[in-house]
Amino acid sequence: MSRKITFLTLFLWLMTVTFPVMAQQKADTTYTFRFVPQKDMFYVPWNGNDTELARLLECIESNKATILDGKLPLYVDGYCNSLNGEKENLAIAKIRSNRVKSELITRAGIKEESFITRNHPAEGDFVTVRMTVPVKETAATDAEAEARRKAEAERLEAEKRAEQERLAEEQRKAEEARPNILTDTPSETKITNDYHLSLRANLLRWATLTPDLGLEWRICPSWGIVVNGSWTSWSWNDKDRRYALWEVAPEVRYYMGEKKAWYLGAMFKTGEFNYKLSTTGKQGDLMGGGITVGYQLRLNKALNLDFNLGLGYLNADYEKYEVIDGVRVRRGNETKDWWGPINAGVTLVWKIK
């Protein structure tokens, strides 16, 4: 009986001595430093990083000689999954690992050779530093640290998702509140939701000494109503030569594409003419219509250049005449039909309202 009491007393004494020692050896060997999603800066005072850094520096100081001898390497693992692609995440993880190592080199006086670095485009936005302390309880400690790291990664992932949802909601509200604005881009026509009136001048007509003016009412981004008119009256060689006409051409246009620069139109044309460029003159009416196709090149906020071509049908009903002693002498009637180009323009468009 006395031997049993002695053995029990010895066993309790060993448990009393051994358990505190084991508890002291079970110091955490994995340290986690958190990073702001999509950022690579190491903010020491942020989110508990300062406390974790102090613990790590204390552990390094206790094992510094072993670390510098290369017998106790520091395993650095960088993580990032807050960017779009694996390549971008891996690049940010690498920068984060380097920033943590630089902090340790500066503060603890260790060398680059003391680190074993790996980077991972997954799991979260943090960097871990692990020291494999050669004690029996290391495996258990590492398992606990791994469990804590996974829990931390899940927490950070949840925070990241919540932040992304918050930013998406703010962006949606900003988009709803933002007015549609026509920005100044020299070579592109942006989509606008405003209704506006534009003044037009066909530069090709003006080049032939035929004044040409028009109006366009853009009733919405995709539809416009255009009316162009031309008039001229010239005579020379003692009125033996004549060039005179007037035309009116209303048109409905449909603007296409993302920029609303290309368009298709349906045009009607009517007018009168009087040409006498040789011994015989022609005077009469014209009427027709067709489709137009064109493109508007944006010059600035107020000016565009409109390039267009019209294809369709024209009918001309006219009489021939000669001028004898200043008197027009009729020489008969003719009617002609024309299928093909009926209009062309390089038109300067000025938004006036």
Side-chain angles (χ1 to χ4, degrees), residues 41 73 108 116 168 179 276:
M41 290 301 297
I116 297 176
K276 188 176 185 300

Side-chain angles (χ1 to χ4, degrees), residues 30-53 55-56 76-82 92-93 95-97 99-100 103 123-129 145 147-157 159-160:
T30 300
Y31 306 85
T32 303
F33 301 99
R34 302 166 185 172
F35 283 76
V36 178
Q38 301 181 352
K39 305 295 183 181
D40 59 25
M41 290 301 297
F42 181 31
Y43 300 110
V44 173
W46 183 74
N47 211 358
N49 286 340
D50 49 353
T51 303
E52 198 77 347
L53 181 61
R55 291 177 56 241
L56 176 56
V76 179
D77 289 85
Y79 297 85
C80 178
N81 68 346
S82 56
I92 292 294
I95 296 174
R96 290 172 173 176
S97 297
R99 293 194 187 280
V100 171
E103 195 74 22
E123 295 194 35
D125 293 281
F126 54 90
V127 172
T128 63
V129 180
R148 286 199 310 274
R149 185 179 64 79
K150 288 184 177 180
E152 179 69 12
E154 291 175 359
R155 187 187 70 81
L156 292 174
E157 181 67 20
E159 288 181 358
K160 186 187 76 170

